[in-house]
């Protein structure tokens, strides 16, 4: 006898199966984007990607960092989508940079956010209303 959970698992499995051997993009819970070829999955929606890269975007800069064969835990997946073509889907105004440059840009961006937060906390005693 099939219950609700079994039918839901079958529906989820069949929808994941439609991505097998296709180029996909995965958005993770922590905000990272992974690109690769969908090779396998299991009953927990754990996913195996081949030729994986992580797309890092900071402002108008981006870099695809190569990760190779990659396993993603199903609980970390927020969104899966098929990539339509091999053409670059990055907007024209964005600049591709090296892994070193993107990591430096990430660090500068993080420092700027921390500075903005600390300035805001120091100014909380002022009542602008």
């Amino acid at each position: 006898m099939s219950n609700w959970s079994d039918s839901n698992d079958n529906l989820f499995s069949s929808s994941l199966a439609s991505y097998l051997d296709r180029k996909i993009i995965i958005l993770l819970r922590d905000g990272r984007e992974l690109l690769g070829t969908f090779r396998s999955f299991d009953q927990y929606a754990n996913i195996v990607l081949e030729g994986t890269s992580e797309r890092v975007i900071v402002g108008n800069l981006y870099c695809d960092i190569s990760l190779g064969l990659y396993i993603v835990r199903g609980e970390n997946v927020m969104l899966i989508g098929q990539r339509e073509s091999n053409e670059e889907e990055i907007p024209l105004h964005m600049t591709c940079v090296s892994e070193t440059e993107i990591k430096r840009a990430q660090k500068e961006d993080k420092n700027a956010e921390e500075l903005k937060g600390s300035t805001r906390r120091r100014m909380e005693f002022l009542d602008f209303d």
Side-chain angles (χ1 to χ4, degrees), residues 62-66 97-106:
Y62 78 96
C63 180
D64 289 341
I65 301 170
S66 180
V97 297
S98 71
E99 188 174 339
T100 305
E101 290 177 77
I102 203 71
K103 289 190 183 293
R104 182 179 17 214
Q106 278 181 311

Side-chain angles (χ1 to χ4, degrees), residues 41-109:
F41 66 96
D42 65 11
Q43 71 271 23
Y44 303 108
N46 296 320
I47 294 171
V48 177
L49 294 175
E50 182 180 47
T52 309
S53 59
E54 178 183 354
R55 177 157 293 160
V56 179
I57 299 174
V58 179
N60 288 332
L61 306 176
Y62 78 96
C63 180
D64 289 341
I65 301 170
S66 180
L67 303 173
L69 190 64
Y70 208 74
I71 298 173
V72 180
R73 287 185 59 123
E75 65 189 33
N76 293 320
V77 175
M78 276 188 26
L79 181 70
I80 298 177
Q82 183 177 336
R83 295 173 58 199
E84 292 299 321
S85 67
N86 290 334
E87 293 179 23
E88 195 63 36
E89 62 264 331
I90 294 290
L92 296 174
H93 71 278
M94 303 212 48
T95 305
C96 183
V97 297
S98 71
E99 188 174 339
T100 305
E101 290 177 77
I102 203 71
K103 289 190 183 293
R104 182 179 17 214
Q106 278 181 311
K107 186 175 181 178
E108 290 171 3
D109 192 51

Side-chain angles (χ1 to χ4, degrees), residues 19 22-26 34-36 38 49 80-83:
Y19 291 112
R22 296 179 189 256
K23 291 186 182 279
I24 63 167
I25 183 167
I26 297 178
L34 300 178
L35 300 94
F38 190 96
L49 294 175
I80 298 177
Q82 183 177 336
R83 295 173 58 199

